Amino acid sequence: MLPEPYDLLPTTARQSQTIAAGDALFRQGARTRGLYVLITGRVHLERVGPHGERLIIHRATSGTSFAEASVFSERYHCDAIVMDAGELVRIDKSAVLAAFANPDFARAYGHQAAQQVQAHRQIMEIVAIRRAEDRVMAGIVAGLLDGTVVDFAARLQLTHEATYRALRALVEAGRVNNPSRGTYRLT
Amino acid sequence: MLPEPYDLLPTTARQSQTIAAGDALFRQGARTRGLYVLITGRVHLERVGPHGERLIIHRATSGTSFAEASVFSERYHCDAIVMDAGELVRIDKSAVLAAFANPDFARAYGHQAAQQVQAHRQIMEIVAIRRAEDRVMAGIVAGLLDGTVVDFAARLQLTHEATYRALRALVEAGRVNNPSRGTYRLT
DNA sequence: GGCAGCATATGATTGAAATCATATTCCAGA
DNA sequence: TCTGGAATATGATTTCAATCATATGCTGCC
């Protein structure tokens, strides 16, 4: 099943495809066809700088959409390169634009987008915290430690080593519980 | 004038107010009234952690909206505290929800939200770059150095000292031009 | 015109996270 | 059941950005 709000679109608006590592889904300057929902695999969006530097714009992960803004644009403004093989669903630009006439879709889109913006803002505030221990604590309070510590560390823009050390310090300070290997909870 | 897409709403949906430092626009758990557009001043959104830690969720700046997700929620999930006095416009929740029935508003909202998400993703990728010099270069390529270097440094989550040093190194490496004090351009 | 405040700029020192290294546990799959 | 890979965990060392310090240029304003 597609994530909200794209589950509300008619099935004719979707087109599944498998992708192989190295594939380019689109290139900067190409006419936009729509947005994508990544089911499995990894995709990078990147732009090329004036001196040939590859600047990664976004790393799409399973279950998330990307290139949403292309729906409102004539041309893609970056390249989409498949890093790991997988599958995805392309969602037709015109179908999305048309769906905005449906208030249910429009509200679902708005809701989803507003939540995403909120989540991004919060992550950015947390990542702005300099001390690893404070950052990790904030991350836990924000509920970011749901999966593995390795994933958590990546979200906090810390190495996993620094994250483990901060977690241990927090446990020793009595601010966090470590009931079992790999699980940490607020006291 | 209000930023897109709120400029499309009827004037009856807006309510201007001046705000003083220390004011709480809303508190966590209060019934939602709508979102806000900050005209001047500074507002922090913050939540209180389980041990009383103040966790900043977002720092709103002039010309931007905040608490957008409250439109889709019954209760505010954080506090909004005025840091610097100024003025803002409150935008009625029900008016926004109703406006989603207008495809023009819905598309304008979607467009604005999609662009904002894109910008956030890009900033997060840039901030993830560890080396100050690479980070500053990426920031310039991304067009983030429009105002002062101090602002630029804050966006990159670097101190302005580190940013100046990186800029100088880039100039010395011939990757950036420094035509005059305080102005830097790609070569 | 003088002063206060801020941006620009750079040097010296410090500190904390990255990096490198290593060991153990856990889990999936052959 | 064995094996390989990843997550967990922590120690030692290094690196580089933060911090502290200082100076100058610019701007607004009283």
Side-chain angles (χ1 to χ4, degrees):
Chain A
M1 208 56 226
L2 288 184
E4 284 216 328
Y6 306 109
D7 57 338
L8 298 177
L9 294 175
T11 52
T12 54
R14 310 164 193 176
Q15 198 191 314
S16 294
Q17 54 183 285
T18 62
I19 50 176
D23 283 0
L25 301 175
F26 53 76
R27 291 283 183 182
Q28 190 168 354
R31 295 197 80 86
T32 49
R33 306 176 71 194
L35 63 92
Y36 295 81
V37 173
L38 189 62
I39 310 298
T40 57
R42 276 193 315 135
V43 173
H44 279 192
L45 302 195
E46 38 188 66
R47 263 177 42 200
V48 184
H51 298 348
E53 311 93 336
R54 291 163 81 80
L55 177 59
I56 296 177
I57 303 285
H58 178 52
R59 296 158 211 254
T61 53
S62 305
T64 66
S65 55
F66 62 92
E68 299 91 339
S70 70
V71 164
F72 304 98
S73 157
E74 271 303 296
R75 306 276 173 180
Y76 289 108
H77 81 296
C78 60
D79 297 347
I81 311 294
V82 178
M83 305 308 288
D84 291 352
E87 45 188 332
L88 55 70
V89 178
R90 184 166 61 75
I91 294 177
D92 198 58
K93 174 182 171 177
S94 56
V96 177
L97 281 174
F100 276 107
N102 169 8
D104 287 338
F105 175 85
R107 285 191 198 105
Y109 188 104
H111 190 179
Q112 193 274 339
Q115 283 189 337
Q116 202 170 335
V117 166
Q118 191 179 59
H120 283 159
R121 286 174 181 164
Q122 182 175 14
I123 290 261
M124 289 197 297
E125 288 295 341
I126 290 171
V127 167
I129 299 171
R130 300 246 196 246
R131 282 217 332 142
E133 200 176 318
D134 296 343
R135 192 136 121 213
V136 166
M137 186 64 193
I140 296 174
V141 171
L144 262 39
L145 178 42
D146 45 358
T148 69
V149 175
V150 169
D151 289 349
F152 180 58
R155 290 208 238 178
L156 296 183
Q157 318 269 46
L158 284 175
T159 59
H160 59 92
E161 295 98 320
T163 306
Y164 281 118
R165 275 185 257 274
L167 283 168
R168 181 164 58 102
L170 288 168
V171 169
E172 271 163 19
R175 305 218 286 154
V176 169
N177 274 356
N178 181 207
S180 74
R181 188 180 160 91
T183 60
Y184 297 87
R185 275 199 211 88
L186 289 172
T187 51
Chain B
M1 207 55 225
L2 287 184
E4 284 217 327
Y6 306 109
D7 56 339
L8 297 177
L9 294 175
T11 51
T12 54
R14 311 165 192 174
Q15 198 191 314
S16 293
Q17 55 182 286
T18 63
I19 50 176
D23 283 1
L25 301 175
F26 54 77
R27 291 283 184 182
Q28 190 166 355
R31 295 197 81 85
T32 49
R33 306 177 71 193
L35 63 92
Y36 295 81
V37 173
L38 190 62
I39 309 298
T40 56
R42 277 192 316 134
V43 173
H44 279 192
L45 302 195
E46 38 189 66
R47 262 176 43 200
V48 184
H51 298 348
E53 312 93 335
R54 290 161 80 80
L55 177 59
I56 297 177
I57 302 286
H58 178 51
R59 297 158 211 253
T61 52
S62 306
T64 66
S65 55
F66 61 92
E68 299 91 340
S70 71
V71 164
F72 305 99
S73 157
E74 271 302 296
R75 305 277 174 179
Y76 289 109
H77 80 300
C78 61
D79 297 347
I81 311 293
V82 178
M83 304 308 289
D84 291 351
E87 46 187 334
L88 54 71
V89 178
R90 184 166 62 75
I91 295 177
D92 197 59
K93 174 183 171 176
S94 56
V96 177
L97 280 174
F100 276 108
N102 168 8
D104 287 338
F105 175 85
R107 284 191 200 103
Y109 188 104
H111 190 178
Q112 193 274 339
Q115 282 188 339
Q116 202 170 334
V117 166
Q118 192 178 59
H120 284 160
R121 285 175 182 165
Q122 183 175 14
I123 289 261
M124 289 197 295
E125 287 294 341
I126 291 172
V127 166
I129 299 171
R130 302 247 195 246
R131 282 220 329 145
E133 201 177 318
D134 296 343
R135 193 138 119 209
V136 167
M137 186 64 193
I140 295 173
V141 171
L144 262 41
L145 177 43
D146 45 359
T148 69
V149 175
V150 168
D151 288 348
F152 179 58
R155 289 209 241 179
L156 296 182
Q157 319 268 45
L158 284 175
T159 59
H160 59 92
E161 295 99 320
T163 307
Y164 281 117
R165 274 186 257 275
L167 283 168
R168 182 164 58 103
L170 288 168
V171 169
E172 273 162 19
R175 305 218 286 154
V176 168
N177 275 356
N178 181 208
S180 74
R181 188 181 160 90
T183 61
Y184 297 87
R185 277 200 211 88
L186 289 172
T187 51

